[in-house]
Amino acid sequence: AAGVIQSPRHLIKEKRETATLKCYPIPRHDTVYWYQQGPGQDPQFLISFYEKMQSDKGSIPDRFSAQQFSDYHSELNMSSLELGDSALYFCASSTFYNEQFFGPGTRLTVL
Amino acid sequence: AQKVTQAQTEISVVEKEDVTLDCVYETRDTTYYLFWYKQPPSGELVFLIRRNSFDEQNEISGRYSWNFQKSTSSFNFTITASQVVDSAVYFCALSEETGANNLFFGTGTRLTVIP
């Protein structure tokens, strides 16, 4: 069965650089969620989209933005990166209000 | 406000022992969903179960079973006859009907199964 695809799987950036993470949901899933998991922490909700519209916003810094495109894939854009942004970033997808299935994550390291 | 508490930070058991992971939640919503996810050392989050607030029936899936008790706001997870492959961090999570289906995670329980 098709799963959520995230790219890249690993990313290394310098402070103050920008990064773009991509997420391709499971086919026919209309909702995408982004979560950030710091080292030894639980995942924290960042933002979600339903049918290409933002549906909810969590603890996402103003330096981050995201959108969902017409083909339902989503991108998380991160600017002015800080050391504290180093984390595992998960994308999850679902059909409306059903269980979320997570991608493998993108591990971002900011040096 | 919503909250998920997993009081057990780390648990170690010997292979073939049974183990129960505790989860206590808080929510003001009458309609909500409870989840368990497994995060093995490879890092991915694996969906295990979703239970809605109106379904208190316990569930068994192979060696896994879940006990949902609204009276104590608990959703505990038991692994029977544990195996080394069960070693992982297990997260309990909550989503509320009013919360656009976003997940609030507990802090996780790291389970180590010793051969």
Side-chain angles (χ1 to χ4, degrees):
Chain A
V4 177
I5 298 171
Q6 290 188 247
S7 68
R9 294 293 308 277
H10 301 273
L11 191 58
I12 299 175
K13 290 286 186 179
E14 300 276 343
K15 280 195 318 184
R16 292 180 288 278
E17 285 191 324
T18 61
T20 297
L21 309 185
K22 296 185 178 182
C23 169
Y24 297 87
I26 293 171
R28 291 179 293 282
H29 280 196
D30 49 27
T31 310
V32 168
Y33 313 79
W34 287 96
Y35 293 84
Q36 177 193 58
Q37 185 179 27
Q41 305 294 313
D42 54 288
Q44 296 288 317
F45 169 69
L46 293 178
I47 195 167
S48 60
F49 294 88
Y50 168 65
E51 284 291 345
K52 292 150 280 184
M53 299 289 290
Q54 181 180 306
S55 56
D56 202 6
K57 199 172 181 180
S59 51
I60 184 169
D62 292 340
R63 299 176 290 107
F64 294 6
S65 64
Q67 57 181 323
Q68 186 179 30
F69 295 85
S70 58
D71 64 352
Y72 293 96
H73 94 273
S74 177
E75 295 183 5
L76 176 66
N77 299 293
M78 311 159 70
S79 63
S80 303
L81 287 169
E82 301 174 355
L83 296 178
D85 296 329
S86 295
L88 192 53
Y89 290 82
F90 286 105
C91 172
S93 74
S94 75
T95 52
F96 186 66
Y97 265 86
N98 285 308
E99 58 267 30
Q100 298 176 31
F101 293 90
F102 283 76
T106 294
R107 186 169 298 280
L108 172 66
T109 302
V110 182
L111 303 176
Chain B
Q2 67 287 122
K3 187 177 180 182
V4 177
T5 302
Q6 295 180 256
Q8 304 150 307
T9 306
E10 295 190 30
I11 300 176
S12 292
V13 297
V14 176
E15 200 172 20
K16 296 182 184 175
E17 286 185 342
D18 299 347
V19 59
T20 295
L21 309 183
D22 298 332
C23 174
V24 175
Y25 63 92
E26 294 176 29
T27 178
R28 291 178 183 169
D29 279 25
T30 54
T31 302
Y32 53 90
Y33 300 88
L34 296 164
F35 303 78
W36 278 94
Y37 283 86
K38 174 183 179 180
Q39 188 171 43
S42 50
E44 71 270 26
L45 281 165
V46 179
F47 168 78
L48 295 178
I49 191 171
R50 175 184 191 244
R51 172 68 71 220
N52 76 57
S53 53
F54 298 107
D55 182 4
E56 287 192 71
Q57 191 172 14
N58 293 331
E59 181 159 338
I60 297 174
S61 176
R63 296 184 297 108
Y64 295 170
S65 62
W66 291 270
N67 181 262
F68 176 27
Q69 292 194 349
K70 285 180 78 170
S71 60
T72 56
S73 297
S74 65
F75 186 45
N76 296 337
F77 173 31
T78 297
I79 302 175
T80 302
S82 59
Q83 301 176 2
V84 172
V85 293
D86 296 327
S87 296
V89 179
Y90 290 87
F91 289 100
C92 181
L94 166 75
S95 70
E96 299 171 319
E97 187 180 54
T98 56
N101 205 35
N102 310 319
L103 292 172
F104 296 94
F105 287 85
T107 49
T109 296
R110 180 178 299 278
L111 173 66
T112 302
V113 180
I114 303 165

